């Protein structure tokens, strides 16, 4: 078995424990604003998943690794059970964790992702990142100009550049482990091996403008979830929490604070 890594984390607020898992190329930094809003009701644990943010880099990267890292983290923090929220890649990790460790998840929130297989959709992002001449960069603005050649969306470029940092040597580097993410990308796209039903209350939050979670096929996609709810947020794409933060906050809080 691949050993778990000790995840970098931050914690805000008091109340019921809520652990948040970011998506591909992300980090806990992307969730600080939302965590501040949730911290009035919950003790919010933000983690950097392996090969992202300030958590260790590893040549091993798949959903089983992410699940075991989370289990180890909960053990280290003496958290017997938690509410669990995951976005995109983090949502798939959260679903698999709930399947394998059902007693440790009280309620599950999955943001704009399903458990099934997905076609590749990050080719231009990887191409832009891999072609970026890190050794020759003079500034973050310089990096942004290079990325424009492959990545049209300014929001995506800004999101990626949050993980660009200047190393002690003076050259630039990525907080995420780009070679491993690229090598294991197809692994992340595969359907989750959900061998048993998931019985905890589960909320799927979809961005109405996103095609990651097809509402027409939702019953077939989510057949393994015994107690599921599904909402679409108007005016939101794949990053629902960033596009419509107030609506996202209301959905999360009302679901987690509802009577069982």
């Amino acid at each position: 078995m691949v050993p778990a890594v000790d995840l970098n984390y931050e914690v805000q607020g008091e109340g019921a424990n809520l652990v948040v898992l970011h998506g591909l190329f992300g980090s806990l930094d992307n969730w600080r604003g939302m965590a501040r809003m949730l911290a009035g009701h919950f003790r919010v644990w933000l983690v950097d998943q392996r090969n992202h943010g300030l958590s260790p880099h590893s040549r091993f990267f798949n959903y089983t690794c992410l699940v075991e890292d989370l289990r180890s983290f909960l053990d280290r923090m003496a958290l017997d059970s938690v509410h669990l929220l995951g976005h995109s890649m983090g949502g798939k990790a959260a679903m698999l964790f709930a399947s394998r460790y059902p007693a440790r998840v009280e309620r599950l929130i999955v943001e704009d992702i399903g458990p099934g297989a997905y076609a590749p959709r990050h080719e231009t992002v990887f191409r832009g990142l891999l072609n970026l001449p890190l050794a020759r960069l003079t500034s973050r603005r310089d990096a942004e100009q290079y990325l424009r050649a492959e990545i049209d969306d300014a929001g995506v470029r800004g999101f990626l550049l949050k993980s660009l940092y200047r190393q002690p040597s003076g050259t630039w580097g990525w907080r995420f482990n780009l070679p491993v993410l690229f090598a294991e990308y197809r692994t992340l796209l595969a359907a989750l091996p959900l061998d048993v039903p998931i019985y905890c209350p589960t909320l799927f939050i979809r961005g109405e403008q996103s095609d990651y979670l097809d509402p027409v096929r939702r019953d077939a996609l989510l057949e393994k979830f015994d107690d599921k709810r599904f909402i679409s947020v108007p005016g939101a794409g794949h990053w629902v929490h960033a596009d419509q933060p107030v609506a996202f906050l209301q959905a999360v809080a009302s679901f987690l604070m509802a009577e069982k």
Side-chain angles (χ1 to χ4, degrees):
M1 176 180 288
V2 176
V5 302
D6 285 344
L7 300 177
N8 178 58
Y9 73 96
E10 293 180 7
V11 60
Q12 298 185 32
E14 295 295 334
N17 290 297
L18 169 63
V19 176
V20 179
L21 303 178
H22 62 77
L24 182 65
F25 303 119
S27 71
L28 63 79
D29 179 66
N30 307 136
W31 283 86
R32 285 195 178 109
M34 182 56 62
R36 283 193 293 271
M37 292 190 282
L38 289 166
H41 302 286
F42 307 99
R43 193 178 192 197
V44 185
W45 301 81
L46 304 177
V47 300
D48 285 330
Q49 300 196 81
R50 74 164 57 200
N51 291 321
H52 291 79
L54 298 180
S55 283
H57 286 191
S58 168
R59 65 188 178 91
F60 300 106
F61 191 66
N62 55 51
Y63 286 115
T64 293
C65 290
L66 300 185
V67 163
E68 291 308 308
D69 289 345
L70 178 57
R71 178 201 54 76
S72 176
F73 174 78
L74 296 186
D75 291 346
R76 183 159 56 103
M77 298 298 116
L79 299 172
D80 292 331
S81 63
V82 298
H83 299 311
L84 188 56
L85 187 164
H87 172 237
S88 200
M89 178 192 78
K92 291 186 86 167
M95 287 184 272
L96 188 59
F97 185 88
S99 174
R100 293 185 176 175
Y101 296 102
R104 307 201 71 167
V105 181
E106 297 175 27
R107 294 196 176 203
L108 174 64
I109 300 173
V110 180
E111 181 186 356
D112 209 59
I113 198 75
Y118 282 82
R121 59 178 71 204
H122 293 87
E123 293 97 331
T124 58
V125 171
F126 275 116
R127 189 160 56 243
L129 295 174
L130 291 167
N131 289 337
L132 191 67
L134 292 172
R136 299 204 306 270
L137 293 182
T138 58
S139 67
R140 192 175 297 273
R141 180 178 293 182
D142 195 17
E144 202 272 344
Q145 290 294 327
Y146 275 107
L147 290 179
R148 283 189 181 195
E150 296 290 350
I151 303 169
D152 294 331
D153 192 314
V156 173
R157 293 196 303 271
F159 165 74
L160 294 168
L161 288 170
K162 285 188 175 184
S163 291
L164 185 69
Y165 75 107
R166 195 180 289 276
Q167 302 175 107
S169 64
T171 58
W172 293 85
W174 294 109
R175 292 290 185 194
F176 44 72
N177 189 346
L178 181 58
V180 170
L181 299 188
F182 180 64
E184 299 300 332
Y185 178 57
R186 298 279 175 169
T187 301
L188 300 180
L189 298 175
L192 292 175
L194 299 182
D195 300 323
V196 298
I198 293 175
Y199 292 103
C200 69
T202 303
L203 173 66
F204 288 88
I205 302 178
R206 170 183 178 266
E208 193 174 64
Q209 299 171 356
S210 171
D211 63 354
Y212 273 77
L213 196 52
D214 182 0
V216 175
R217 298 177 55 237
R218 69 184 186 187
D219 290 339
L221 290 169
L222 311 179
E223 63 180 354
K224 287 289 187 180
F225 296 83
D226 182 70
D227 182 1
K228 59 181 176 286
R229 300 149 210 200
F230 187 96
I231 67 170
S232 291
V233 177
H238 184 52
W239 287 274
V240 186
H241 63 280
D243 294 340
Q244 296 292 337
V246 174
F248 185 84
L249 173 69
Q250 290 173 342
V252 169
S254 62
F255 174 68
L256 294 182
M257 298 173 71
E259 294 293 330
K260 293 185 178 181

